[in-house]
């Protein structure tokens, strides 16, 4: 199968249509708004949807068709660009959310963007590697947030938390491990898989990819920041817990904390599983492309960004908790734009939801009662009106029926005779 270099042919169209399906399935721009809303369900369901089975299916599909996509380089660039923009946009939104589960939901969208970036630059094994490691620490963080919500009596707003570390030691330790893993701190699993993705972007030969690598490093900094922000607002600092919730505070039972411990252990050792080598052997060296590990200097840079993001979160929410409000006030409209999720939901409402509801009201108020019902009711009225005429001909008199037959027969004979 020859690659469609410099052209957009049938193969590229096939790959692009497959990617559009994956975009909806795995919540990439512009089809990502459903995923944060899906976290409204029970926390174990959120963990299952966000970490493992559902949203990663699109990434898996692209990776499983690595040979096909590798022969459509223009589509690969589209995949990489959409992935890194999704990662940046979702990470930005996660910075300013206060619902603990919503922060993690936008984190999922961002991490899925990382995975698609890997697929787009040809680092298919790195994308599959991050798919696996992300399942460990994201399930851990979601279930940990469920433990916190359980202890808080249903409260999800991090502005009403703080100082929970002494009440929830197991949940705190395990969530710290999950947050450090997603931030990319070694030797936890997220460090290895994320670095391979970023280095794959820099090592790719085509010109947009180094730019995507730089954006990916920025996203790594933002990821570390919002992960640290979640930790410091929830477990550290002064308590902002209401009186009602304070009486309810307690560590969750073993049925909830034991899965956290198991997932924390997997988040620690998951980075040492040889997923890239296995994927390379499955998809083949041609599709695998960039199998080289990131050099030590690059790994040190990524580690510095992770530590820097956590340090910024510690300063803003640990040492100077009043500073974020000042910064939000100074940023003004831009802060409100990010807080309102770039108003993408409102854009969908204006361009899609509003017109669809207007069309539905037209059908329900005019077309359905006046046209559809009019045709059905008109048929009934017509039958009712004409039934009286036909009923007069049905006298029940046999002689009249015989006379009708005779007249009909004479008419037919006359017609045949005239031919």
């Amino acid at each position: 199968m020859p690659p469609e270099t410099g052209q957009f042919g049938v193969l590229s169209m096939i790959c692009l249509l497959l990617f559009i399906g994956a975009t909806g399935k795995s919540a990439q721009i512009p089809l990502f708004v459903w995923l944060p809303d899906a976290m409204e369900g029970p926390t174990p369901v959120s963990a299952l949807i966000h970490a493992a089975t559902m949203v990663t299916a699109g990434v898996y599909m692209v990776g499983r068709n690595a040979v096909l996509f590798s022969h459509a380089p223009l589509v690969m660039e589209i995949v990489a660009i959409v992935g890194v923009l999704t990662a940046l946009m979702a990470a930005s939104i996660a910075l300013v959310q206060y619902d603990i589960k919503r922060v993690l939901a936008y984190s999922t969208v961002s991490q899925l963007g990382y995975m698609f970036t890997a697929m787009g630059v040809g680092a298919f094994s790195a994308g599959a590697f991050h798919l696996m490691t992300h399942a460990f620490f994201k399930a851990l963080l979601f279930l940990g947030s469920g433990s916190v919500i359980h202890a808080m009596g249903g409260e999800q707003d991090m502005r009403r938390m703080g100082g929970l570390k002494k009440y929830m030691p197991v949940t705190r330790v395990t969530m710290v491990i999950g947050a450090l893993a997603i931030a990319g701190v070694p030797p936890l699993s997220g460090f290895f898989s994320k670095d391979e993705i970023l280095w794959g972007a820099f090592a790719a030969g085509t010109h947009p990819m180094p730019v995507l690598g730089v954006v990916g490093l920025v996203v790594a900094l933002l990821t570390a920041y919002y992960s640290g922000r979640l930790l410091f607002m929830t477990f550290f600092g002064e308590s902002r817990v209401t009186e009602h919730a304070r009486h309810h505070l307690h560590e969750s039972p073993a049925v909830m904390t034991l899965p956290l411990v198991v997932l924390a252990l997997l988040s620690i050792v998951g980075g040492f599983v040889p997923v890239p080598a296995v994927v390379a052997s499955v998809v083949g060296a041609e599709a695998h492309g960039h199998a080289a590990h990131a050099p030590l200097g690059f790994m040190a840079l990524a580690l510095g960004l992770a530590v820097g993001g956590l340090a910024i979160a510690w300063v803003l929410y640990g040492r100077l908790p009043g500073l974020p409000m000042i910064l939000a006030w100074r940023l003004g409209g831009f802060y409100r734009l990010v807080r309102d999720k770039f108003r993408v939901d409102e854009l969908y409402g204006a361009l899609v939801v509003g017109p669809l509801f207007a069309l539905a009201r037209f059908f329900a108020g005019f077309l359905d009662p006046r046209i559809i019902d009019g045709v059905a009711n008109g048929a009934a009225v017509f039958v009712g009106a004409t039934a009286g005429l036909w009923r007069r001909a049905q006298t029940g008199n046999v002689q009249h029926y015989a006379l009708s037959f005779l007249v009909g027969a004479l008419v037919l004979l006359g017609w045949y005779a005239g031919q």
Side-chain angles (χ1 to χ4, degrees), residues 213-259:
V214 173
V215 177
L217 288 174
V218 173
V219 175
L221 175 67
L222 300 181
T223 301
Y225 171 74
Y226 68 66
S227 301
R229 174 178 177 266
L230 184 148
L231 289 178
F232 291 116
M233 290 191 71
T234 304
F235 295 104
F236 301 96
E238 294 184 2
S239 175
R240 301 176 299 278
V241 181
T242 62
E243 284 296 328
H244 173 73
R246 185 174 291 112
H247 292 299
H248 193 272
L249 276 177
H250 62 282
E251 180 60 277
S252 299
V255 70
M256 298 178 67
T257 56
L258 183 58

Side-chain angles (χ1 to χ4, degrees), residues 125 196 280 288-293:
S125 60
E196 290 205 11
H288 174 58
H290 312 289
H293 295 292

Side-chain angles (χ1 to χ4, degrees), residues 28-29 80-90 113 117 212 215:
Q28 299 297 285
I29 291 176
I81 293 170
V82 170
V84 78
L85 289 179
T86 302
L88 178 62
M89 183 178 187
T117 302
L212 302 184
V215 177

Side-chain angles (χ1 to χ4, degrees), residues 22 24-28 34-35 47-64 108 111-112 115-116 119 127-128 130-135 138:
K25 184 69 172 177
S26 295
Q28 299 297 285
W34 67 269
L35 184 55
L48 183 66
I49 291 175
H50 287 249
T53 57
M54 185 173 179
V55 296
T56 54
V59 179
Y60 174 80
M61 185 272 293
V62 174
R64 198 68 183 85
T108 299
Q111 297 302 307
L112 288 167
M115 298 175 204
F116 276 109
M119 301 298 172
H130 197 59
L131 188 152
M132 183 198 74
T133 59
H134 173 261
K138 186 52 62 67

